[in-house]
Amino acid sequence: MNVVLTGFRGTGKTESGRLLARLLDVPFYDTDALVEEEAGATVHEIFEQEGEEGFRAREKRAIAGLPRGPGVFATGGGAVIDPENVEHLRRGRTVVLLNADESTIEKRIQHSTRPALTRMGLRAEIHALMESRRDVYLAAADYCIDTSARSANEVAIGIKRLLAEGVTKESGRREALRAFAGSGIHQSEAAELATMVKALSENPVLRFYGIAGYPSLHSRSPPLFRRLFSYFDINAYYTRFHDPALTRILGTARDLDVRGLSVTIPFKQEIMGHLDRMDAHCRAIGACNTVLFCGGEAHGYNTDWLGIRDPLASLRGSRAVVLGAGGAAAAAAYALRALEMEVTLLNRTVERAEALAERFGCHHGSLRDFGSIRPDVVVNATPVGMESDTASPLKKSDLAPGMTVFDLVYTPPETPLIRIARSAGCTAITGKEMFIRQARAQFRQFTGIDAPLEMIREFLG
Ligand code: NAP
């Protein structure tokens, strides 16, 4: 038994952790106590003498040095903000996030001698820190438990039961396997999934993730995420939900107590109606491609736009054209505007470009207007050039040396537009680059761990 308890101060990590360790008959480690022991000073004194930075450096060393054997490990409230800490904590362990409502936390910590992290006053500080940390807490956890109305003893007993039995029911697992078997996914994948589901009887805290799309049979996310989970020693399996009905996918996800979904065509808008919370990027773009389930709630994120922004980050302030006015074009417009680019959206149906331009503060026009703009950056967000289409949305004479051409289409690896751009002396960025960057951001959202870009590139092959 190897379990980490994280969460905000006052959620009961230390008390429940100590009781849980006793119930499981394993040692208990509290990272704050380890830091105090090593420093020969209290957390309060370390904060006063070395500031928060000094404390975090000590905490990081303590986490990296935690014993690998069985135990219950309670971390300080800010520990999981650092992805390297999360990587150390998660390897071979189950992470349980303890939550509580703000007034319960205030009651529990109001007499604490621990230093405040801000000058805001207790209630305001609790609110601000919980808001700013919620997503990293969620990312770093396998399970979320609300401790507001429970004693530390009840929480410890609940976690012991969770570790022994998991959350899924035999009937739900059977139902999920039936749905997968009839979904059209490859037989070998269905067989592997069946093995993993059956393994829940010995490994009840195995977590499931998957891609939800239709079609999703050719998605490269399953092999990529499986390798990432295995590399970071995370007890998780990533599968494929291939079904035309999102509600059926969500039913199967509930049956398997799925922890996270990558969401793709045609569900990126529809999924938004099934979320309890979504980030500001989803709301602005109008699409969600990443869902995390925790404690009975669904949280939505958008990482697509990061896949477009990051490869273009050095071109801040440039003049850009986006071809298309669909979902990918919305993510592109949002990403380019975040880089303070002057953006013109050109589309076959001009009215759609106009509507999108209005949302993001861009210019708009028809595809014929391209010649009059002379942009530094071009992003193709139409499917033109996608396997088996051999057309290009632009001619070589439209392009000039020094332009950066980013084709979001990723099959084939070298599209006609990419070929033309290279021969015209442009910097060409392929759709694979977007996939790699958004997947990296998605893995971070799924786990709290920063996988190096080169690792994703290598694992993707
Ligand atoms: P979408 O919502 O269906 O939008 C497609 C857009 O392309 C529309 O603006 C449409 O114009 C335009 N279009 C379609 N066929 C065209 C043609 N023959 N000539 C000119 N314009 C045409 O699709 P989407 O979700 O935005 O995806 C667009 C492409 O982005 C996909 O095909 C995919 O290859 C790529 N993508 C890549 C990644 C990645 O990770 N690399 C992720 C997402 C998407 P109208 O408005 O006139 O119909």
Side-chain angles (χ1 to χ4, degrees):
M1 285 296 177
N2 214 329
V3 58
V4 176
L5 304 186
T6 66
F8 198 74
R9 286 166 70 198
T11 50
K13 296 173 303 239
T14 312
E15 217 184 327
S16 315
R18 201 167 277 132
L19 291 165
L20 177 63
R22 212 172 297 153
L23 289 173
L24 297 174
D25 196 20
V26 296
F28 174 67
Y29 304 89
D30 175 60
T31 59
D32 280 353
L34 292 172
V35 167
E36 289 184 332
E37 200 180 307
E38 190 255 352
T42 64
V43 170
H44 184 70
E45 287 161 350
I46 300 169
F47 261 80
E48 269 190 358
Q49 289 155 20
E50 301 172 25
E52 185 175 355
E53 214 176 297
F55 172 77
R56 296 283 171 225
R58 287 180 179 280
E59 182 181 55
K60 193 166 182 154
R61 280 199 301 278
I63 288 173
L66 288 173
R68 297 305 320 169
V72 175
F73 303 83
T75 69
V80 297
I81 293 169
D82 183 333
E84 286 179 29
N85 286 346
V86 178
E87 193 181 325
H88 282 296
L89 289 165
R90 294 203 75 147
R91 277 190 185 278
R93 301 190 181 109
T94 296
V95 180
V96 180
L97 168 65
L98 302 188
N99 279 321
D101 58 58
E102 290 175 18
S103 62
T104 303
I105 290 181
E106 186 183 20
K107 256 186 252 144
R108 287 181 184 162
I109 68 175
Q110 61 193 345
H111 302 300
S112 157
T113 54
R114 288 282 165 86
L117 293 177
T118 66
R119 293 168 197 279
M120 292 172 161
L122 188 57
R123 188 61 188 265
E125 176 176 302
I126 292 170
H127 179 73
L129 286 178
M130 285 181 79
E131 282 294 305
S132 68
R133 289 178 179 178
R134 181 193 284 122
D135 290 332
V136 287
Y137 281 166
L138 277 174
D142 289 300
Y143 294 96
C144 303
I145 292 182
D146 195 322
T147 69
S148 307
R150 297 186 193 177
S151 69
N153 203 35
E154 286 168 332
V155 172
I157 291 170
I159 298 174
K160 185 183 176 209
R161 189 175 313 124
L162 168 74
L163 295 172
E165 298 168 17
V167 175
T168 60
K169 304 253 178 312
E170 174 62 33
S171 55
R173 296 199 289 264
R174 233 179 301 124
E175 196 51 51
L177 282 182
R178 233 195 319 271
F180 280 111
S183 75
I185 66 171
H186 198 276
Q187 247 181 349
S188 63
E189 275 195 338
E192 187 173 281
L193 178 74
T195 308
M196 300 313 287
V197 171
K198 283 178 190 134
L200 279 169
S201 52
E202 282 108 58
N203 179 11
V205 285
L206 172 70
R207 305 302 278 133
F208 286 89
Y209 292 76
I211 178 147
Y214 194 77
S216 69
L217 295 180
H218 299 289
S219 167
R220 295 167 78 187
S221 295
L224 169 66
F225 281 101
R226 277 178 220 150
R227 281 196 75 178
L228 287 167
F229 285 135
S230 156
Y231 178 87
F232 289 103
D233 197 8
I234 291 180
N235 189 18
Y237 183 74
Y238 189 107
T239 187
R240 223 181 268 280
F241 294 83
H242 173 74
D243 194 310
L246 179 62
T247 46
R248 250 193 326 255
I249 291 179
L250 293 175
T252 308
R254 265 192 301 277
D255 285 337
L256 273 189
D257 189 36
V258 158
R259 162 80 179 118
L261 287 176
S262 310
V263 181
T264 186
I265 290 172
F267 303 131
K268 287 185 186 183
Q269 282 85 32
E270 190 183 345
I271 190 72
M272 294 171 78
H274 299 270
L275 303 173
D276 297 289
R277 247 192 81 249
M278 67 182 96
D279 71 3
H281 311 301
C282 283
R283 256 194 304 276
I285 296 165
C288 162
N289 76 324
T290 308
V291 180
L292 270 184
F293 299 94
C294 217
E297 289 196 335
H299 303 258
Y301 304 91
N302 188 305
T303 66
D304 277 336
W305 74 284
L306 296 168
I308 302 169
R309 184 198 67 177
D310 291 356
L312 299 173
S314 62
L315 298 170
R316 184 173 281 277
S318 300
R319 180 185 301 186
V321 162
V322 174
L323 307 174
Y334 183 71
L336 302 185
R337 294 295 288 141
L339 290 172
E340 293 164 359
M341 292 194 191
E342 183 187 340
V343 181
T344 305
L345 300 170
L346 303 180
N347 194 43
R348 186 172 61 180
T349 311
V350 179
E351 296 73 28
R352 287 188 77 194
E354 184 176 8
L356 206 59
E358 210 165 286
R359 270 175 58 201
F360 294 106
C362 304
H363 311 291
H364 71 275
S366 82
L367 295 169
R368 281 187 302 277
D369 297 327
F370 187 85
S372 61
I373 301 174
R374 284 291 195 206
D376 312 302
V377 175
V378 183
V379 177
N380 175 36
T382 75
V384 179
M386 196 158 107
E387 216 150 49
S388 54
D389 179 8
T390 53
S392 164
L394 296 173
K395 301 185 295 295
K396 187 173 174 184
S397 57
D398 291 322
L399 304 176
M403 275 184 187
T404 297
V405 177
F406 192 170
D407 194 350
L408 304 189
V409 174
Y410 55 91
T411 48
E414 189 179 63
T415 60
L417 175 62
I418 290 289
R419 214 170 308 124
I420 288 171
R422 285 188 176 133
S423 73
C426 304
T427 302
I429 306 175
T430 66
K432 183 177 174 186
E433 209 50 44
M434 172 177 175
F435 181 78
I436 288 171
R437 311 266 181 154
Q438 72 76 22
R440 177 173 188 252
Q442 194 164 66
F443 186 69
R444 169 91 186 248
Q445 202 59 65
F446 280 160
T447 63
I449 295 173
D450 250 341
L453 214 49
E454 285 318 310
M455 180 185 288
I456 309 251
R457 216 182 288 283
E458 185 201 320
F459 285 2
L460 206 54

